[in-house]
Amino acid sequence: MKLKVNFSLTQLEYVMAVHKYGHFAKAADACNVTQPTLSMQIQKLEDELGVVIFDRSKKPILLTDSGKKLISQMQTVLFEARKIESLLLEGTKGSRKGTLTVAIIPTVAPYLLPRLLPVCVETLPDLELNIKEMQTDQIIEALNKDEIDVGVLATPTQIPAMFEYPLYYEPFYVLCDKDHEYAHHKKIKYQSLGMDDIWLLEEGHCLRNQVLDLCSIKKKKGGVERKYKFESGSLETLKNLVDLYGGYTLLPQLATHTIGDRSQVVQFERPIPAREIGMVCRREHYKSELVDALGEAILKAIPEDLRKIKPKDLDVLPIA
């Protein structure tokens, strides 16, 4: 017996929205429709398929066993349908017209975007960018759910389902107050760094893990216990804390261009610890030409000295 199933892409989008938000009203708001409209279309789809996709008795609303079997394929159908839309919008090969949804990690976005956006306005006038700030785990999840097209983050992620475009290497520097012991070094070995008075990013930032890799886990004997302990989601907050309360933190190069009056930047000896910044998207991405164009714009936007840095002089840190 051949099963004939009729459904619309809109119905699949509504299902994905409820799956994302776990709530019919929130899903309807995200889809810019009324809740009765969204609920009716999902019910119609369930009737057509002969299965119940959502367990409506749960809070938040969860997939049924049947829904779990279908959700991945529904996402794939939507992804493939968007390829057709993109091809029609982009027109001829080589066109750089279209929309790109980009997520950038918080330790890159504030320093890259002010440089990048003017370049995009000048060189990619037909590219519409929708930009979000997300942590690495959120970017990977959003890529898997087709909520974004590309992520700009520390690489390599080494995730098999993703394709990576390495862009540039960014060295780390020590930022400390001018009376700090590290301030008296022209250059410092990262093996000598301690944990006594370092200001750290909060959990979830890949840069935090890289910093912990650099610093000695054991506290120095006789170290003074700091009165204030704080972990931040912002490098700018860490810079302000160093300037006001002393101690030190580690910054990527682009974040060192503005510092407080009472702070000082100290370079590392070779091999200089650094991170690799790249773009990540799904393999065989249907917007590959727009992704390539974004990568070219990023390379044009960063300072020339950063663009010329070679990995042979660096100790490129893993992100895990």
Side-chain angles (χ1 to χ4, degrees), residues 91-136:
T92 59
K93 185 173 177 61
S95 170
R96 295 187 168 189
K97 181 178 181 179
T99 301
L100 206 59
T101 302
V102 184
I104 308 178
I105 57 174
T107 58
V108 170
Y111 314 107
L112 178 62
L113 284 177
R115 298 171 176 274
L116 175 62
L117 296 183
V119 174
C120 290
V121 169
E122 179 185 351
T123 63
L124 300 169
D126 295 324
L127 176 62
E128 179 182 336
L129 285 176
N130 297 324
I131 303 171
K132 307 170 184 286
E133 190 174 284
M134 295 180 176
Q135 293 184 8
T136 297

Side-chain angles (χ1 to χ4, degrees), residues 168 298-310:
Y168 62 91
I298 290 174
L299 288 176
K300 187 173 182 179
I302 62 175
E304 186 177 358
D305 62 332
L306 198 59
R307 200 160 52 238
K308 291 181 176 180
I309 292 176
K310 304 300 181 185

Side-chain angles (χ1 to χ4, degrees), residues 54-66:
F54 292 109
D55 183 349
R56 292 157 173 81
S57 69
K58 304 293 184 181
K59 301 294 180 184
I61 292 169
L62 299 175
L63 292 167
T64 62
D65 289 342
S66 296

